[in-house]
Amino acid sequence: MVARPFCVRIMSLIVLLTVLPVGAQNLAQPASKAAQRPAPGKPPSGNVQQPGRQTGATRSTPLRFKSPAIRKLLESAARPHGGLPEMTPLVGIDLSVSPFLTTPPTYAAGSNPRGVALADFNSDGRQDIIVAADPPMLLLGNGDGTFQTGTPLSTLGSAPTAVAVADFNHDGALDLAFSTFNSVVVFLGNGNGTFGAGVTLPAGGSQIVAGDFNNDGMADLILATGNGLSVFLGNGNGTFQAAKTSVAAALFMAIADFNNDGRLDLATTDGSSSLTILLGGGDGTFSASGVYFTPVLQNLQALAVADFNHDGSPDVAMPDGEVFLGNGNGTLRAPGVSR
């Protein structure tokens, strides 16, 4: 019998130990009670992970692994090099007993997907997925975490860069707006997972978002063009007014009310080094309240907004892991800076 190379055994062990913290519940250190407790009067968010990283923690009891596969790897790796047997003990072991070793389902989603959105497009109470791909793809949800095979929508003429979801014509059915580098295409939903013919708006850009930016109860669109913003105010019937343009360093955007005045604001990035907060005037116009820079040039092609420290003010997370905490007045403070 010829033993398999020692490096194969060690690499297998390293790979398994690397992914252990993701799914092994018996290995996770609990967060402190302060980290687990939400702010007074504020329910915990169901989809925001609670902070709770521990440093310098020690363990008084030995680790016990539920997976037979991991136990076999640890036992064989602990033997002297010369006594390593062939890795036959793994044959026949059901690796599915370790949930972090299972393979998630994958779905065909068109060519060059650039963004996704979750919503109930066929009015069955289940979350569906729309993918900004070429062509756009709709994956209807089964309600158990799986999705049906994707259905392509009409082609857009060029590959989409982003997708926004809202009810643009007030019929109770969700509609879609795709941005491309050449145009914006709006599809009105029928409420059953199908959509009407696309209507094109004459502007193109890198990202699109939907919201009520002039407080008239109708959904509007904002497009980041690279040279600034194009704001399309909705008429409430699926059509839009001519674009209002403004100069801003905006390639990617997220929406929130950063100064608690009841008007929607924007957090934008220039795609490389800067983060800008644009305060909404309540009439579809915006003005900059502050510009913040990351330490080095980066690929800032995304950002996320949420209340990460439970103080009631929206914060901004960047792709490199930096979090700019909001002060509630339209300004942010740099990572590591206290009030």
Side-chain angles (χ1 to χ4, degrees), residues 200-217:
T200 300
L201 303 178
S206 58
Q207 193 182 13
I208 193 167
V209 293
D212 183 9
F213 299 106
N214 61 343
N215 291 348
D216 65 352

Side-chain angles (χ1 to χ4, degrees), residues 160-172:
T161 57
V163 60
V165 178
D167 183 3
F168 297 119
N169 59 346
H170 281 240
D171 65 350

Side-chain angles (χ1 to χ4, degrees), residues 108-195:
S111 174
N112 193 28
R114 296 289 298 271
V116 298
L118 296 175
D120 181 10
F121 294 108
N122 61 343
S123 307
D124 64 353
R126 301 169 181 174
Q127 289 290 291
D128 311 311
I129 298 176
I130 187 69
V131 184
D134 189 13
M137 300 288 286
L138 175 64
L139 286 73
L140 297 178
N142 296 317
D144 59 358
T146 65
F147 296 85
Q148 301 175 28
T149 301
T151 302
L153 275 65
S154 301
T155 57
L156 306 180
S158 59
T161 57
V163 60
V165 178
D167 183 3
F168 297 119
N169 59 346
H170 281 240
D171 65 350
L174 289 176
D175 311 312
L176 302 172
F178 292 94
S179 59
T180 76
F181 285 119
N182 303 311
S183 64
V184 171
V185 184
V186 177
F187 293 90
L188 298 181
N190 297 317
N192 59 359
T194 65
F195 296 84

